């Protein structure tokens, strides 16, 4: 269960689907033997879109789950979870 | 036209398809209201896979196109192209 | 004014000073005409150290300032500030 | 020994010294108990400056050492070295 409001979920889903469309384009570019540099630029568009989606998820998580946890005295675990995500950040 | 050897293309394609599978999983996790932190970890798996794929593309590009360009006295343009990719790197 | 506990400040300061030492080493390597690749590895050690320091600052900020703000009903501004840091993240 | 032309070295050195100045500022901000978010923005300025310096080093390395290696039939080792730097990229 989660606390994402409907419209945030819709925005996240919209961006994920755009990223999947761009990723499908990367796959077809490789199939079609497109010049490496052009494929790499398209791949970066996917990465950039996913990064923005991750920021949107994070912002929503801070505003909902983390804020609730802190109000209920469970800051420690909540912040540890967030930091595990950051430390892995590529 | 490009210079990717068949097996490099196969490895790149394999990784791109794994990344697409992981991205589909992210989309279904959002649909199923899975906890934000778990979705973010799955999203990071996609980003990490795409980053490795980008490194593989780059390595192949350096070994083939860039090396050929340099041998043919066209280092300048080739290196400018590579640097444009790096500077955008997220 | 800030809310960093003394020992966190000491750890942050310790890491910043190590990073400065590594950066001084980079500068002396350039002065001494050391091979580019070796300088780049040393530069990455600085970047990696600063990144860990940033994560430590962030963790402390979440546990102190953000948690306090949320308890006092000022979640919105506090989370906006945090997100501005993330979105700029290199 | 290295192949950095004098003016590139001068530009790299200039940027490294600016980064060191910004890092000294971060250290004094922590000493003065400045608000975490402001310190993090200043730290990001250092990271951003070092990243640009790294790109400048890389561009020069590609144009000089790597291009020479490729012309002399030593592409393999040179590209392996470059890829080790990328894969560690934070």
């Amino acid at each position: 269960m989660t606390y994402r409001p409907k419209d945030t979920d819709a925005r996240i889903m919209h961006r994920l689907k755009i990223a999947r469309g761009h990723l499908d384009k990367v796959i077809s570019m490789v199939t079609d033997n497109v010049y490496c540099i052009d494929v790499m630029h398209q791949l970066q568009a996917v990465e950039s879109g996913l990064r923005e989606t991750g920021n949107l998820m994070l912002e929503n998580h801070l505003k909902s789950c983390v804020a609730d946890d802190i109000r209920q005295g469970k800051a420690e675990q909540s912040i540890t979870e967030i930091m595990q995500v950051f430390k892995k950040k590529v």
Side-chain angles (χ1 to χ4, degrees), chain A:
Chain A
M1 190 188 153
T2 180
Y3 298 91
R4 288 187 295 273
K6 276 287 164 229
D7 65 334
T8 301
D9 258 21
R11 286 170 62 203
I12 288 170
M13 192 58 94
H14 180 67
R15 280 161 186 258
L16 288 172
K17 286 181 176 168
I18 287 175
R20 187 170 58 183
H22 285 162
L23 181 53
D24 285 339
K25 174 78 181 161
V26 172
I27 290 172
S28 74
M29 288 169 91
V30 174
T31 308
D32 295 346
N33 263 348
V34 170
Y35 182 50
C36 327
I37 290 283
D38 296 328
V39 182
M40 284 189 264
H41 281 294
Q42 181 69 20
L43 185 61
Q44 286 187 327
V46 182
E47 292 181 81
S48 172
L50 293 180
R51 189 188 159 135
E52 282 171 31
T53 312
N55 281 340
L56 194 56
M57 282 184 193
L58 174 64
E59 184 170 8
N60 174 69
H61 181 64
L62 289 169
K63 286 186 181 168
S64 53
C65 314
V66 176
D68 286 351
D69 286 348
I70 288 173
R71 285 185 207 103
Q72 293 166 23
K74 295 181 294 180
E76 187 73 26
Q77 189 200 326
S78 196
I79 291 169
T80 299
E81 276 182 359
I82 283 278
M83 290 310 301
Q84 282 166 347
V85 172
F86 288 135
K87 285 172 186 167
K88 274 185 18 184
K89 212 160 160 53
V90 291

